[in-house]
Amino acid sequence: MHINTDSLAAFMAIHQEDNFTKAAKRLGITQSALSQKIGKLEDTLQATLFIRSKTGLTLTSSGEKLKRFAKQQLELESHFISQFDQYQEVLAGSLRIAGFSSIMKSVLIPATAEIMRNHNHCNIEYSSFEVVDLENVLKSNKADLIITDYKPTLPGLESVPLGKEEYVVIESKNFKKIPEIYLDHGPHDNATESYFKFQNQENLSSFRRGFMGDVYGIIEGVNQGIGKAVMSKHLIRDIDDIRIKKYPKRYFRNIYLSYFHQNYYSPLQELTCSTLRKNCSQYL
C-alpha cells in the first residue's frame, strides 16, 4: 500500500475548505479530478473518509486518523525540501494558535512576539474562542496549538503546563452604588461560579449575571459601574479606576498548551512551544 503526497494534499484541502469545489479551485484542478483522487485514496485505505451532508463535510473516524498522518507527512516533506533552497538556514512557515480572550492579547501575543521579530519568514496566526470550544478547534484542524485553563482530555494530545492565572473580584472605584450583577463573557463562562464555590460560597442564586461579549467588554462594564466581575488579575494591573475586592483565599487556574502527538514537529512549532514554556509565566 502506498499513499502519495498529492493525495494527502487533496485530502487536507477538502478538510480545510469543507467543500470539494473550493478545494479543487485552491489546488488548481477540476472538481471531477479531485473526486477521483479521493476515491482512489478511499479505495487504497478501504475506508470512507468523509460523510457528506447538507451542512457540509464531516470526517469519519478513519478520516480523523488520516488527518493527523497527512498533516505530519506534508510538514515533514516541506521541511525536507526547504533544506535545499537558498534559505536553508532561515526558519520559515506558519503556525496557528487558538486561545481564550483573557490571555490572547496580554499573554500569548507578547510571549511569542520575539519569534516573528527575529524570524521574518515565520508567521503565527492567533485566534480567540470560548474555552469550551477549543478542543473542537484543535480536533477540526482550525489550529495547531490550543491554550486552555484546564487539561484537555482528547485522545492523542500532548499537554504542557504554562503557568497559573489568578482570578480576582473587581469593581469600579468611581461609583458608590454598584449593582450586585456579575459580568461574564456569556452563558458558558463559569469563572464567577467557580470563584465563589472556591470561596465556599455555594449559594449563587442571589447573583445576577450580565453578558458583555468578551473580556474587554467586561472590564469596560466594571469601569462604568454596571456591575462587578471575576477577572484575570493580570488584565487589570494598569487600570487605576478599578479595585480588587479582597476574599479569604486566592484562586488560580492552571494554563495548558496542547497539541496532537506527532512523530515529527516542524521547527517553528518546536520553537513556539519552547518559547511559550519559557515566557508565559512572566505575563500571567
Side-chain angles (χ1 to χ4, degrees):
M1 182 185 296
H2 172 71
I3 304 175
N4 62 49
T5 53
D6 282 346
S7 296
L8 295 178
F11 166 78
M12 288 299 290
I14 295 167
H15 170 58
Q16 290 164 356
E17 297 290 348
D18 196 30
N19 183 284
F20 270 74
T21 303
K22 292 180 180 178
K25 185 176 181 180
R26 170 175 153 183
L27 295 169
I29 61 177
T30 66
Q31 186 174 337
S32 175
L34 179 58
S35 296
Q36 289 179 24
K37 281 181 180 289
I38 296 304
K40 289 180 181 178
L41 183 57
E42 290 179 326
D43 287 342
T44 299
L45 297 173
Q46 292 292 291
T48 299
L49 300 173
F50 295 100
I51 298 172
R52 298 160 177 82
S53 68
K54 293 181 180 179
T55 58
L57 300 171
T58 304
L59 289 177
T60 63
S61 59
S62 297
E64 289 286 351
K65 292 178 183 177
L66 181 62
K67 177 186 71 177
R68 297 178 199 175
F69 172 78
K71 182 175 181 292
Q72 179 175 323
Q73 288 299 108
L74 293 171
E75 286 182 350
L76 181 59
E77 181 184 80
S78 176
H79 176 58
F80 178 76
I81 291 173
S82 72
Q83 296 177 45
F84 293 89
D85 67 23
Q86 61 178 317
Y87 299 113
Q88 59 178 322
E89 299 300 324
V90 176
L91 186 67
S94 295
L95 192 74
R96 300 163 300 166
I97 303 176
F100 50 100
S101 62
S102 69
I103 63 166
M104 183 59 65
K105 179 181 176 181
S106 58
V107 178
L108 298 184
I109 293 175
T112 54
E114 66 182 58
I115 296 174
M116 287 197 287
R117 283 199 302 268
N118 298 331
H119 303 281
N120 293 333
H121 292 82
C122 290
N123 181 47
I124 298 177
E125 300 174 3
Y126 304 89
S127 54
S128 181
F129 295 87
E130 293 293 331
V131 175
V132 296
D133 296 325
L134 285 167
E135 287 190 56
N136 282 332
V137 167
L138 185 62
K139 187 177 178 181
S140 60
N141 197 40
K142 294 177 182 176
D144 303 299
L145 311 173
I146 60 170
I147 313 296
T148 57
D149 61 359
Y150 67 94
K151 188 173 183 179
T153 58
L154 273 178
L157 282 193
E158 299 281 350
S159 294
V160 180
L162 296 178
K164 294 178 182 292
E165 189 175 26
E166 183 174 6
Y167 282 76
V168 293
V169 176
I170 60 173
E171 63 182 13
S172 174
K173 293 179 181 178
N174 300 321
F175 299 90
K176 293 182 178 180
K177 293 184 178 181
I178 300 173
E180 199 66 20
I181 298 174
Y182 282 83
L183 308 178
D184 288 318
H185 295 189
H188 296 296
D189 186 354
N190 69 348
T192 301
E193 180 180 1
S194 298
Y195 182 89
F196 285 110
K197 282 186 175 179
F198 182 76
Q199 300 295 341
N200 297 320
Q201 296 187 23
E202 297 284 350
N203 184 11
L204 305 178
S205 59
S206 61
F207 294 154
R208 293 166 55 200
R209 299 181 73 188
F211 302 133
M212 308 301 291
D214 64 22
V215 66
Y216 300 102
I218 295 173
I219 292 173
E220 184 58 26
V222 170
N223 198 38
Q224 295 296 330
I226 294 172
K228 305 171 186 178
V230 173
M231 178 57 57
S232 305
K233 187 176 181 180
H234 60 82
L235 285 169
I236 49 93
R237 284 175 183 151
D238 299 322
I239 302 178
D240 294 332
D241 292 333
I242 287 178
R243 63 170 162 249
I244 295 173
K245 290 191 68 178
K246 298 294 184 181
Y247 280 82
K249 296 185 289 185
R250 297 176 71 185
Y251 178 60
F252 295 89
R253 285 184 176 179
N254 291 314
I255 304 301
Y256 287 91
L257 161 68
S258 298
Y259 47 87
F260 281 113
H261 173 77
Q262 299 174 188
N263 293 324
Y264 168 81
Y265 300 100
S266 70
L268 177 56
Q269 180 163 335
E270 289 185 335
L271 175 61
T272 302
C273 290
S274 64
T275 301
L276 284 168
R277 291 195 298 268
K278 178 185 75 174
N279 291 344
C280 274
S281 60
Q282 66 181 291
Y283 296 103
L284 288 169

